[in-house]
Amino acid sequence: MRPRGGTATVNSTGTDTDTTDTTDAEDVAAPTDTTAVTAATDGTGQADNAGTAGTADGTGRTGTVDAVDASRRRWPRVLGALLAVVLIAAGGALYAEGRQLRDTPATANLALTDAEATARVTGDVSSALGKIFSYGPGSTAATRAAAKEVLAGKALQQYAALFGQVERQSADQKLTLTTEVVRAGVTRLTGSGAHLLVFLDQVYERRGRAPTTASAQLTVTAELRDGRWWIVEIGTT
């Protein structure tokens, strides 16, 4: 029986050895589990950090995209406002330039735009000059009366001062003067005034002598009064 019991002792020892070995193995494995837990914990921390970082990065990218979109939306409004300002400025400049063109002396001269008014003043002045500068020995009174119907202001005063001398010459020399307007041009015409350049041919006839012809050039200023043109100033060039 003892040999069997001794065998049991050996087995018991072996069992103890196995138990001890198992315990040691468990003790050795334990740090491994702790390391795994730590690693897991560290992994979780890294994952959390990565997630946090990812969230932060995602939020940053979203803010940048929104800023770019807002900037892109503002540009059309800014460009539209600038275009409106440019158009308004250009329109103002064109309007001012148009006013200047309309207000220039050239455009205000009706002789360049109103053919009917130009022809009328030319006709009235030419007829008046033909009357006041045509006379004979027996017709000076009629000429003087005609002058009062077509001359006014300074022109009438000048004519009255000189015509007395003309009457005496006509009576003494039996002088006849015939004046014809060969050309008249309106240099400036407004609604109430005109300036003309007139070319005359005059024929002098004296008893017992051959007629002589002379040319004259006058500047005339006329005014529209009561629907007809009056000569108010006569000058020579």
Side-chain angles (χ1 to χ4, degrees), residues 7 28 41 44 85 99 131 134 175 186 202 213 219 224 237:
T7 302
V28 171
T41 303
T44 303
V85 171
R99 285 290 302 272
K131 291 178 180 179
S134 296
L175 176 63
V186 181
Q202 295 180 307
T213 302
T219 59
L224 185 63
T237 59

Side-chain angles (χ1 to χ4, degrees), residues 42-113:
D42 293 342
T44 303
Q46 291 176 357
D48 292 340
N49 293 335
T52 304
T55 303
D57 292 341
T59 304
R61 287 194 298 272
T62 302
T64 303
V65 171
D66 292 341
V68 171
D69 290 341
S71 177
R72 289 178 178 175
R73 287 193 297 270
R74 284 196 300 270
W75 269 110
R77 293 195 294 269
V78 173
L79 291 177
L82 291 176
L83 181 59
V85 171
V86 170
L87 290 176
I88 292 172
L94 291 175
Y95 176 77
E97 185 175 355
R99 285 290 302 272
Q100 290 178 355
L101 290 175
R102 289 193 297 270
D103 295 340
T104 57
T107 55
N109 188 0
L110 297 179
L112 303 176
T113 59

Side-chain angles (χ1 to χ4, degrees), residues 5-226:
T7 302
T9 301
V10 171
N11 291 340
S12 176
T13 303
T15 303
D16 293 339
T17 302
D18 293 339
T19 304
T20 302
D21 293 339
T22 301
T23 302
D24 293 341
E26 291 175 354
D27 293 339
V28 171
T32 302
D33 294 341
T34 304
T35 302
V37 171
T38 303
T41 303
D42 293 342
T44 303
Q46 291 176 357
D48 292 340
N49 293 335
T52 304
T55 303
D57 292 341
T59 304
R61 287 194 298 272
T62 302
T64 303
V65 171
D66 292 341
V68 171
D69 290 341
S71 177
R72 289 178 178 175
R73 287 193 297 270
R74 284 196 300 270
W75 269 110
R77 293 195 294 269
V78 173
L79 291 177
L82 291 176
L83 181 59
V85 171
V86 170
L87 290 176
I88 292 172
L94 291 175
Y95 176 77
E97 185 175 355
R99 285 290 302 272
Q100 290 178 355
L101 290 175
R102 289 193 297 270
D103 295 340
T104 57
T107 55
N109 188 0
L110 297 179
L112 303 176
T113 59
D114 194 335
E116 183 178 355
T118 302
R120 180 180 177 186
V121 66
T122 301
D124 287 353
V125 169
S126 297
S127 176
L129 292 175
K131 291 178 180 179
I132 64 176
F133 290 127
S134 296
Y135 52 84
S139 62
T140 54
T143 302
R144 183 187 289 271
K148 293 179 180 180
E149 295 178 356
V150 296
L151 300 181
K154 185 177 179 181
L156 182 58
Q157 295 172 3
Q158 292 173 334
Y159 188 85
L162 295 174
F163 196 73
Q165 183 179 357
V166 169
E167 286 182 309
R168 290 191 299 270
Q169 289 178 348
S170 178
D172 295 341
Q173 301 176 12
K174 307 301 182 182
L175 176 63
T176 300
L177 176 64
T178 303
T179 299
E180 180 182 2
V181 175
V182 295
R183 183 177 298 177
V186 181
T187 59
R188 181 169 178 77
L189 175 63
T190 64
S192 59
H195 297 273
L196 299 89
L197 182 61
V198 183
F199 297 89
L200 309 173
D201 277 347
Q202 295 180 307
V203 179
Y204 294 88
E205 298 181 76
R206 290 181 175 90
R207 182 177 296 179
R209 296 183 183 182
T212 59
T213 302
S215 297
Q217 182 175 325
L218 303 176
T219 59
V220 177
T221 301
E223 292 182 359
L224 185 63
R225 299 179 180 180
D226 298 328

